[in-house]
Amino acid sequence: MSLKKFLKGILILATTAISIAALALTAYVASLAKGLPEINPQDFNIQLTSTFYDNQGQQVANRYYTENRVWTDFDKMPQTYINAVVAIEDKNFWTHQGIDILGIARALVSNYISQNIESGASTITQQLSRNVLIEADERYQQTSARKIKEILISLQMEEVMSKEEIFTYYTNVINFGQSAYGVESAAFTYFGKTLDQLTLEECALLAGIPQLPNDNNPIDNPEKALARRNAVLDAMYDNSFITLEELEKAKATPITLNPQIKQEDPTY
């Protein structure tokens, strides 16, 4: 057999194998897509904290099961906080269609080199998809099936929801540690403030917590929280959200907390 015929045979075998693999992958993705829910934000199961008042209209208690969450709309969020989240979580959020192709490619290379799933390249849209539409027992499984579902849901989510809606649901859903879910509850829990009262460095600190809520929250791990806050500030500077002067001033500011961890009130 000539070398030319041999190489031609190898090429045919390789092309056939790739075609079969592509068909198998397409069938697998299609089977996963069949079981995915329709995207309707009104159907998202998001628990909100209940507030109780006495007959004089005075607030006497807040009650929640496991998630202390007070909803806040997009137009109530300071631009500084929005910029902080985008800078550290998903710098291409406003332009991509739900997934970051370059980010996925980088993650695949990183995971191949380490022979482990260490990087997921999840966009804000993917994180929202995971938190509201992936079952809890599957949500954090490092499997290809879960990642494919997440990507498919994210692509559909971008078709039926605006970027502002996606960001709003995302930042109201995520865990900030200390039973605080959503950024409004987090602002009160850690600083005793409403969201619109936060400084640059406080916005950066909150933006950094959801990556690892137990490790990055400043009550349990102040040193890790400080390092993560400064990483957020660096990302904000790299993305031209803040000036060098603002960066240096914010990084030099220590974390000052006013924790509001409510205890049971026996009065009522």
Side-chain angles (χ1 to χ4, degrees):
M1 180 185 295
S2 67
L3 178 60
K4 185 176 180 180
K5 287 184 177 180
F6 176 76
L7 293 176
K8 184 178 180 181
I10 293 294
L11 179 60
I12 292 172
L13 286 174
T15 303
T16 302
I18 291 172
S19 298
I20 292 172
L23 288 172
L25 179 60
T26 301
Y28 179 58
V29 171
S31 68
L32 291 175
K34 286 182 180 178
L36 296 179
E38 292 293 324
I39 307 297
N40 185 350
Q42 294 180 349
D43 294 335
F44 294 167
N45 183 22
I46 300 174
Q47 302 173 18
L48 298 179
T49 295
S50 297
T51 302
F52 296 85
Y53 301 87
D54 62 19
N55 61 357
Q56 302 300 316
Q58 298 296 314
Q59 180 179 331
V60 297
N62 287 325
R63 289 292 181 270
Y64 57 91
Y65 179 47
T66 58
E67 301 179 2
N68 180 18
R69 179 182 290 107
V70 178
W71 188 268
T72 186
D73 292 322
F74 185 83
D75 59 4
K76 303 296 183 184
M77 299 180 195
Q79 189 63 47
T80 301
Y81 171 73
I82 296 170
N83 290 343
V85 173
V86 170
I88 197 63
E89 291 289 346
D90 186 3
K91 65 180 182 180
N92 297 317
F93 172 69
W94 298 110
T95 56
H96 65 59
Q97 300 302 310
I99 59 174
D100 185 346
I101 300 298
L102 292 178
I104 291 174
R106 287 192 298 268
L108 289 173
V109 172
S110 175
N111 294 338
Y112 177 77
I113 292 173
S114 66
Q115 294 297 301
N116 189 24
I117 300 178
E118 295 181 343
S119 178
S122 290
T123 63
I124 286 174
T125 312
Q126 286 176 257
Q127 292 181 56
L128 175 60
S129 301
R130 180 191 314 149
N131 277 281
V132 299
L133 292 172
I134 301 290
E135 295 295 331
D137 58 352
E138 186 184 5
R139 191 170 297 162
Y140 298 106
Q141 292 178 6
Q142 296 289 7
T143 63
S144 58
R146 195 269 296 169
K147 290 298 293 184
I148 292 171
K149 286 181 183 179
E150 191 178 288
I151 289 172
L152 293 173
I153 292 171
S154 298
L155 293 172
Q156 185 181 354
M157 188 174 281
E158 291 269 350
E159 291 183 359
V160 299
M161 296 174 65
S162 69
K163 288 290 188 179
E164 288 78 9
E165 284 181 296
I166 291 170
F167 190 92
T168 299
Y169 275 91
Y170 165 79
T171 203
N172 277 286
V173 164
I174 50 178
N175 181 9
F176 286 84
Q178 298 293 328
S179 295
Y181 284 75
V183 68
E184 191 70 60
S185 291
F188 184 77
T189 296
Y190 294 112
F191 303 114
K193 296 180 178 181
T194 55
L195 185 55
D196 61 342
Q197 296 173 322
L198 297 181
T199 63
L200 165 60
E201 55 271 13
E202 290 168 344
C203 286
L205 186 142
L206 293 185
I209 293 176
Q211 179 204 40
L212 293 169
N214 292 329
D215 284 351
N216 292 337
N217 85 72
I219 292 177
D220 291 335
N221 294 295
E223 291 183 1
K224 289 184 178 180
L226 179 63
R228 178 67 175 166
R229 182 202 73 174
N230 289 346
V232 174
L233 291 167
D234 286 334
M236 294 181 74
Y237 174 71
D238 291 341
N239 285 276
S240 302
F241 289 134
I242 58 175
T243 65
L244 180 59
E245 181 181 357
E246 289 173 319
L247 170 69
E248 293 175 342
K249 181 179 179 181
K251 290 179 74 171
T253 303
I255 294 175
T256 302
L257 301 178
N258 181 22
Q260 306 291 314
I261 310 300
K262 288 196 172 184
Q263 305 298 322
E264 291 294 327
D265 183 354
T267 305
Y268 297 91

